[in-house]
PDB file of all heavy atoms in Angstrom:
ATOM      1  N   ARG T  23      26.146  -6.362   1.596  1.00  0.00           N
ATOM      2  CA  ARG T  23      25.066  -5.477   1.879  1.00  0.00           C
ATOM      3  C   ARG T  23      23.749  -6.090   1.469  1.00  0.00           C
ATOM      4  O   ARG T  23      23.599  -6.668   0.385  1.00  0.00           O
ATOM      5  CB  ARG T  23      25.213  -4.160   1.163  1.00  0.00           C
ATOM      6  CG  ARG T  23      26.515  -3.375   1.606  1.00  0.00           C
ATOM      7  CD  ARG T  23      26.614  -2.026   0.865  1.00  0.00           C
ATOM      8  NE  ARG T  23      27.750  -1.220   1.494  1.00  0.00           N
ATOM      9  CZ  ARG T  23      28.891  -1.186   0.830  1.00  0.00           C
ATOM     10  NH1 ARG T  23      29.157  -1.872  -0.223  1.00  0.00           N
ATOM     11  NH2 ARG T  23      29.957  -0.449   1.388  1.00  0.00           N
ATOM     12  N   SER T  74       5.656  -0.366 -11.397  1.00  0.00           N
ATOM     13  CA  SER T  74       6.791   0.314 -12.107  1.00  0.00           C
ATOM     14  C   SER T  74       7.987  -0.575 -12.302  1.00  0.00           C
ATOM     15  O   SER T  74       8.822  -0.247 -13.222  1.00  0.00           O
ATOM     16  CB  SER T  74       7.190   1.521 -11.259  1.00  0.00           C
ATOM     17  OG  SER T  74       6.136   2.432 -11.062  1.00  0.00           O
ATOM     18  N   SER T 130      17.282   3.248  12.802  1.00  0.00           N
ATOM     19  CA  SER T 130      17.061   1.837  13.102  1.00  0.00           C
ATOM     20  C   SER T 130      17.835   0.869  12.229  1.00  0.00           C
ATOM     21  O   SER T 130      18.339  -0.112  12.697  1.00  0.00           O
ATOM     22  CB  SER T 130      15.532   1.511  12.995  1.00  0.00           C
ATOM     23  OG  SER T 130      15.055   1.514  11.706  1.00  0.00           O
ATOM     24  N   THR T 147      11.873  18.474   0.117  1.00  0.00           N
ATOM     25  CA  THR T 147      12.241  19.787   0.637  1.00  0.00           C
ATOM     26  C   THR T 147      12.730  19.667   2.113  1.00  0.00           C
ATOM     27  O   THR T 147      12.529  18.618   2.733  1.00  0.00           O
ATOM     28  CB  THR T 147      11.095  20.780   0.564  1.00  0.00           C
ATOM     29  OG1 THR T 147       9.998  20.303   1.446  1.00  0.00           O
ATOM     30  CG2 THR T 147      10.582  20.933  -0.841  1.00  0.00           C
ATOM     31  N   ALA T 167      23.000  10.183  -1.975  1.00  0.00           N
ATOM     32  CA  ALA T 167      22.071  11.321  -2.133  1.00  0.00           C
ATOM     33  C   ALA T 167      21.834  11.515  -3.562  1.00  0.00           C
ATOM     34  O   ALA T 167      22.815  11.551  -4.361  1.00  0.00           O
ATOM     35  CB  ALA T 167      22.618  12.627  -1.451  1.00  0.00           C
ATOM     36  N   TYR T 175      12.816  18.384  -6.225  1.00  0.00           N
ATOM     37  CA  TYR T 175      13.070  19.265  -5.077  1.00  0.00           C
ATOM     38  C   TYR T 175      14.391  18.821  -4.438  1.00  0.00           C
ATOM     39  O   TYR T 175      14.538  17.729  -3.975  1.00  0.00           O
ATOM     40  CB  TYR T 175      11.917  19.100  -4.083  1.00  0.00           C
ATOM     41  CG  TYR T 175      10.587  19.562  -4.600  1.00  0.00           C
ATOM     42  CD1 TYR T 175       9.864  18.700  -5.295  1.00  0.00           C
ATOM     43  CD2 TYR T 175      10.139  20.842  -4.381  1.00  0.00           C
ATOM     44  CE1 TYR T 175       8.536  19.095  -5.792  1.00  0.00           C
ATOM     45  CE2 TYR T 175       8.916  21.288  -4.828  1.00  0.00           C
ATOM     46  CZ  TYR T 175       8.065  20.363  -5.562  1.00  0.00           C
ATOM     47  OH  TYR T 175       6.852  20.777  -6.091  1.00  0.00           O
ATOM     48  N   ASN T 185      25.630  17.999   5.205  1.00  0.00           N
ATOM     49  CA  ASN T 185      25.827  17.473   6.497  1.00  0.00           C
ATOM     50  C   ASN T 185      27.037  16.342   6.503  1.00  0.00           C
ATOM     51  O   ASN T 185      27.267  15.794   7.548  1.00  0.00           O
ATOM     52  CB  ASN T 185      24.555  16.810   7.062  1.00  0.00           C
ATOM     53  CG  ASN T 185      24.686  16.507   8.537  1.00  0.00           C
ATOM     54  OD1 ASN T 185      25.228  17.252   9.368  1.00  0.00           O
ATOM     55  ND2 ASN T 185      24.143  15.319   8.922  1.00  0.00           N
ATOM     56  N   TRP T 254      15.709  20.354  24.049  1.00  0.00           N
ATOM     57  CA  TRP T 254      17.164  20.179  24.218  1.00  0.00           C
ATOM     58  C   TRP T 254      17.841  20.219  22.868  1.00  0.00           C
ATOM     59  O   TRP T 254      17.328  19.696  21.893  1.00  0.00           O
ATOM     60  CB  TRP T 254      17.487  18.849  24.854  1.00  0.00           C
ATOM     61  CG  TRP T 254      17.314  18.768  26.349  1.00  0.00           C
ATOM     62  CD1 TRP T 254      18.294  18.824  27.270  1.00  0.00           C
ATOM     63  CD2 TRP T 254      16.102  18.603  27.026  1.00  0.00           C
ATOM     64  NE1 TRP T 254      17.824  18.762  28.510  1.00  0.00           N
ATOM     65  CE2 TRP T 254      16.443  18.590  28.502  1.00  0.00           C
ATOM     66  CE3 TRP T 254      14.768  18.431  26.668  1.00  0.00           C
ATOM     67  CZ2 TRP T 254      15.507  18.469  29.410  1.00  0.00           C
ATOM     68  CZ3 TRP T 254      13.845  18.309  27.662  1.00  0.00           C
ATOM     69  CH2 TRP T 254      14.124  18.331  29.018  1.00  0.00           C
ATOM     70  N   HIS T 256      20.879  19.161  20.379  1.00  0.00           N
ATOM     71  CA  HIS T 256      21.874  18.149  20.250  1.00  0.00           C
ATOM     72  C   HIS T 256      22.652  18.437  18.933  1.00  0.00           C
ATOM     73  O   HIS T 256      22.085  19.014  17.951  1.00  0.00           O
ATOM     74  CB  HIS T 256      21.210  16.795  20.101  1.00  0.00           C
ATOM     75  CG  HIS T 256      20.359  16.377  21.273  1.00  0.00           C
ATOM     76  ND1 HIS T 256      20.779  15.567  22.264  1.00  0.00           N
ATOM     77  CD2 HIS T 256      19.115  16.785  21.594  1.00  0.00           C
ATOM     78  CE1 HIS T 256      19.851  15.462  23.198  1.00  0.00           C
ATOM     79  NE2 HIS T 256      18.858  16.172  22.790  1.00  0.00           N
ATOM     80  N   LEU T 285       3.417  30.292  14.480  1.00  0.00           N
ATOM     81  CA  LEU T 285       3.211  31.713  14.517  1.00  0.00           C
ATOM     82  C   LEU T 285       2.037  32.096  13.640  1.00  0.00           C
ATOM     83  O   LEU T 285       1.194  32.965  14.099  1.00  0.00           O
ATOM     84  CB  LEU T 285       4.499  32.410  14.055  1.00  0.00           C
ATOM     85  CG  LEU T 285       4.395  33.922  13.962  1.00  0.00           C
ATOM     86  CD1 LEU T 285       4.110  34.553  15.335  1.00  0.00           C
ATOM     87  CD2 LEU T 285       5.772  34.469  13.421  1.00  0.00           C
ATOM     88  N   ALA T 333      -3.524  45.496  10.930  1.00  0.00           N
ATOM     89  CA  ALA T 333      -2.094  45.310  11.053  1.00  0.00           C
ATOM     90  C   ALA T 333      -1.747  43.886  11.106  1.00  0.00           C
ATOM     91  O   ALA T 333      -0.686  43.473  10.533  1.00  0.00           O
ATOM     92  CB  ALA T 333      -1.650  46.029  12.374  1.00  0.00           C
TER      93      ALA T 333
END
Side-chain angles (χ1 to χ4, degrees):
R23 297 184 175 99
S74 300
S130 70
T147 62
Y175 296 86
N185 192 42
W254 279 259
H256 302 260
L285 176 59

